[in-house]
Amino acid sequence: MAIRKQNKHSLNLKKTLLASLIAMNVTSVSAQSEQEQLSEDDQIEVIEVSGLRDSYKNAISTKRAAVTIVDSISLEDMGALPDNSVAETLERITGVAADRFKGGASEISIRGLGPFLGMSTLNGRAISSGSGNRSVAFSQFPSELVNGVKVYKSQSANLLEGGVSGVIDLGTIKPVDYGKENFQAEVKGTYDEYQSKLEDDNGFGNKISFSYTNTYDVGDGQLGFAIGYAGGESPRPEETYLTSSTLRNCNSDYGLDGGSSCSFNDSNAAANGGDAIDGDYYFISNAFTYRQMESVEDDDAVIAAVQWKPTDKLDINFDAQWSESSYFEDRHDLSFDDARRRVSNWQTNDDHILTSYTGESRIANMNEMRTRDEEYKGAGFNVKWQVTDDLELAFDAAYSGTNRWQDRTYTRFRSKRKFYDWQQRNSQQFPNVTNVYTDFDDAAGSSINWQSDVNDLAFFDDDSEARKYRFEIDDRIRSTKLDAKYLLDAGMFTFLSSGFAYSSRSHQNYGEDQVSKATAKDDRAGVLASAASCLEPWPQSGYGEDGDSPVSQWAYLDTSCAYSTLVGSDVLSPDPKAPSEADIDLTEEITSFYVMSDFESELGGMYVRGNVGVRYVHTNIESKGVTQSYTVQTNENGFIELDGNNSVEINHFENSFSNVLPSLNVILELREDTELRFAAFKAISRPDMWFYGAGREVSDITYDDGYTTPEQALDDGNVSARGNPNLELIKSNNYELGLNWYWEDETMLSASYYYKTFSARFGADTSDEQIIVDGTSYDTTVQGVPTIYDDESSIQGVEFTAVHRFKTLPEPFDGLGLSLSYNYSDSDYITPEAGGSITEDARAEVTPANLAGLSEHVANTQVYWEGEAASIRLSYKYRSDYLKPFGNDLSQTNRFVDDQKTVDLSLGYKLTEQLTAKFEVLNLTNEPAVQQRVAQGAYNQIEYSGSKVFFGIKYKM
């Protein structure tokens, strides 16, 4: 049964759309019958894409063919993406921005909405996560093994729900659809300029990849398979200035007010006899640190696919993915870790941010080794069956699982307290310590040569400690779905689609466990003397030169040796699986149904097409947690004490809710090369798993607190939540209007306006619950319960894309092209300052932040030239400042990432028909990663990691 032809104009457009769909290996139920109706003269050209400029050509073709609003970068071959990582590929898509981590792209935001409001899939299936939230580690899917990425910016009823900002879908190859034999291999060297500073390292690493694809005739059908491997070792050193995670407001001056730790009181001199909040005050961290760090990541990944088409009506696919990442980090810190003590002579800017001050602190030599292993396993089975000419059925079953384990080994040696003068500089320079001295009243006369003294381990003679940490996360998703698509003969409606999907997510996040051993006072001298055998030469040259660090080296200890010295014969064995209030044990079951109809017609003589549908989603949440078990003791005065014992009370929460998600996508062809797009839809995002914890923590209750009954003790704010299993979803209403002009197959101009309303403000609230103490259940009010408030916010923005190849220019300039994209976002969302160590009146004075992850401006410019043998691409990426939360801690201060500007360069040269040489430099200008808190100037991180160079040879059969 054929689709009705509206007119010749309509048919020509359909040919273009069908060609694009074939190029993307996505054909509709009517593709075969559609092609059969075309004469030989009308046969559609199928676009084969293999190079940089062809990735843009295919992106234009895909955007034009899709009914939803979608942007993509896709190539035919496995491993042909022209970027060093999938995250870097995503950054080339309009409106997509990445968080820079250790010099590379990591967490992805779409149109200014943070990672927690997006969703990522692989071949249309949800991906597990080892991070405790729903963000995906794109590094587990190497760009060498992925042949396409799509970003869906509007929803249709048949798409998996879960992204208010959008859905990112990674695609892998289908070998029969690819249709030919192909072998390719690449050997890639890496060079890290910061790694080369290390005395025992030349800065080089390596990556290798290979893949093979082939298809065979089997009976009347075809059988194909593809397999690929990518792996290698990547150094990731860094030089950093950072502060502790807590921030406090104080107004005391040691020289005027006395005292030890800084305070915020009306009686302090800065209050001028009034309220402290009306006088001058300052924000200060508990510690500041200079860090030298070496890290290496070793990755291996395999992706395989089998496709069998026994007949032209049956398509059977199986795909599997495996990756393993081993990460090693060796930190060596010089830390002033009593930074709030005896603060004096302080100066601030207009936002109460310190520009200089004097303090007293111990100086700590801290060393930490981190080892982290993460393994991902995924598999999917898919069958498409053309039951009749009018009906197609599709079945899909999948598994995705991630396990992450981390071990931390930590040592600390601290000096006796010294006074110091601290001075802020700028975002490119580490703050300075201009003087260290022993007598507050004689700074010049008691000054010490601290940059020299810190190289002597004997300087750190006050105390010492060893710690061991471990955590483990296990996340598994099992899913299945069934879809049906029916060709209609009902006026303007062309297809009717319906489907069912079910998934079950099992998530165990075992809170990090810690065991420590402090050196007894009488043993400190002996332990310090023994630790001297663990000293090693300072391992690198030129530490801190880019950040103009005030210190260039300090006593360097082998962390394993120092740890063994500190613990002696003791064994510190943290057990993350031992019950803890911080543990997350979550089961999330999602069932969904949808119905959708495609349509096409004419409106005022113009061709119009689109889809309309609705998706119903039902969610079941089951969360288990623990509360420490207590025995009630009563003294002779009638006061109680809660004594913890060796058991726990189990908390079991269940919650279920439903959402209805209508969607409409409309495309109106104004001219043959110009279209107007409109989308309206409801969307949802799911809170991160760590917010669903069921653990409840009871504060220490002693006789001195004066409570006479458990009810009185519990209900006096002494029970706090480690999550909220009753959280529902973040919901949004979304509208978009766009205009696209397709001048040629390699030229496009696109502009769109989008508007979203949503309720996504997280905060800590209270809830009435029951807590068991000594076998009795008590009604109490639980504090700090994560809550999504009903406050409605909105975000609106505009998005522009321009892609053009200058193919009308004379050779060789006809290989020149450019891609420009810009996204502007604005929101009335408010994230108030919530720092738990900042007084309430001072929090109210802090300018609120916007939505987490929201950058007002995101731009990407790429200029490229590609000829028969050579290619070059220069990229500039800009992202304006944005809020970056501290995970699930709702009582931390607002943290802002400064504007990010990155320049990357890529070169390629085809040596022979089979061999291509490649060269790439990331972060060409060595831009630091800078973070601030509360307001401009309060730098809590200035991190340099240098440029990264990649070079290699690629062979393609």
Side-chain angles (χ1 to χ4, degrees), residues 521-551:
K521 185 175 182 179
D522 293 342
D523 297 333
R524 290 173 184 170
V527 167
L528 186 65
S530 298
S533 64
C534 302
L535 285 168
E536 294 184 351
W538 183 252
Q540 75 164 81
S541 60
Y543 171 83
E545 288 179 344
D546 291 324
D548 194 16
S549 172
V551 60

Side-chain angles (χ1 to χ4, degrees), residues 658-938:
S658 299
N659 299 91
V660 178
L661 308 175
S663 60
L664 172 67
N665 292 275
V666 182
I667 304 167
L668 178 65
E669 187 180 312
L670 303 177
R671 302 187 320 186
E672 191 166 351
D673 60 356
T674 308
E675 63 183 23
L676 185 68
R677 287 179 175 254
F678 173 76
F681 58 96
K682 287 183 178 290
I684 56 174
S685 286
R686 301 182 183 278
D688 292 327
M689 288 84 75
W690 54 37
F691 286 116
Y692 282 104
R696 298 295 181 259
E697 190 167 8
V698 179
S699 303
D700 291 335
I701 305 296
T702 67
Y703 297 130
D704 294 338
D705 295 318
Y707 299 119
T708 57
T709 66
E711 295 98 325
Q712 182 188 21
L714 295 173
D715 215 30
D716 195 28
N718 287 313
V719 182
S720 57
R722 301 304 293 262
N724 181 9
N726 294 314
L727 276 179
E728 296 193 11
L729 306 185
I730 299 167
K731 300 176 279 289
S732 68
N733 299 305
N734 312 267
Y735 310 93
E736 178 154 354
L737 184 66
L739 182 66
N740 300 333
W741 177 42
Y742 307 100
W743 182 26
E744 293 178 329
D745 59 352
E746 295 182 72
T747 298
M748 178 190 72
L749 293 177
S750 175
S752 61
Y753 168 80
Y754 56 89
Y755 179 78
K756 299 173 182 282
T757 61
F758 55 91
S759 299
R761 185 168 72 85
F762 269 87
D765 212 328
T766 62
S767 69
D768 294 330
E769 298 179 13
Q770 290 189 328
I771 297 294
I772 297 176
V773 174
D774 206 358
T776 302
S777 181
Y778 298 95
D779 293 328
T780 190
T781 300
V782 178
Q783 309 294 317
V785 180
T787 302
I788 302 174
Y789 294 103
D790 292 332
D791 310 355
E792 185 172 86
S793 301
S794 65
I795 183 171
Q796 61 180 333
V798 291
E799 198 171 76
F800 300 98
T801 306
V803 180
H804 181 61
R805 183 170 77 90
F806 299 91
K807 60 184 180 182
T808 58
L809 295 178
E811 293 185 359
F813 303 104
D814 60 341
L816 185 66
L818 76 115
S819 171
L820 306 173
S821 69
Y822 171 73
N823 183 84
Y824 169 80
S825 299
D826 180 50
S827 177
D828 58 7
Y829 186 95
I830 291 177
T831 302
E833 175 55 50
S837 297
I838 300 176
T839 60
E840 185 175 354
D841 50 1
R843 287 201 301 266
E845 296 292 318
V846 176
T847 302
N850 209 303
L851 185 66
L854 176 68
S855 291
E856 190 172 10
H857 305 281
V858 174
N860 191 328
T861 301
Q862 299 188 69
V863 179
Y864 70 89
W865 179 86
E866 189 169 73
E868 290 296 323
S871 66
I872 182 170
R873 173 166 58 107
L874 185 67
S875 303
Y876 173 76
K877 304 167 189 174
Y878 173 77
R879 181 181 186 183
S880 60
D881 62 314
Y882 59 95
L883 174 67
K884 184 176 182 178
F886 285 89
N888 64 335
D889 191 340
L890 299 176
S891 63
Q892 282 286 14
T893 55
N894 287 338
R895 174 175 60 167
F896 303 90
V897 178
D898 266 17
D899 295 359
Q900 296 180 345
K901 311 174 190 70
T902 307
V903 178
D904 301 333
L905 174 68
S906 299
L907 303 172
Y909 186 77
K910 200 168 185 178
L911 302 171
T912 69
E913 194 63 31
Q914 287 80 34
L915 287 177
T916 302
K918 300 170 72 175
F919 178 83
E920 182 177 12
V921 184
L922 302 182
N923 193 18
L924 196 62
T925 55
N926 188 22
E927 290 292 324
V930 180
Q931 297 179 7
Q932 306 184 56
R933 289 190 296 170
V934 179
Q936 286 289 325

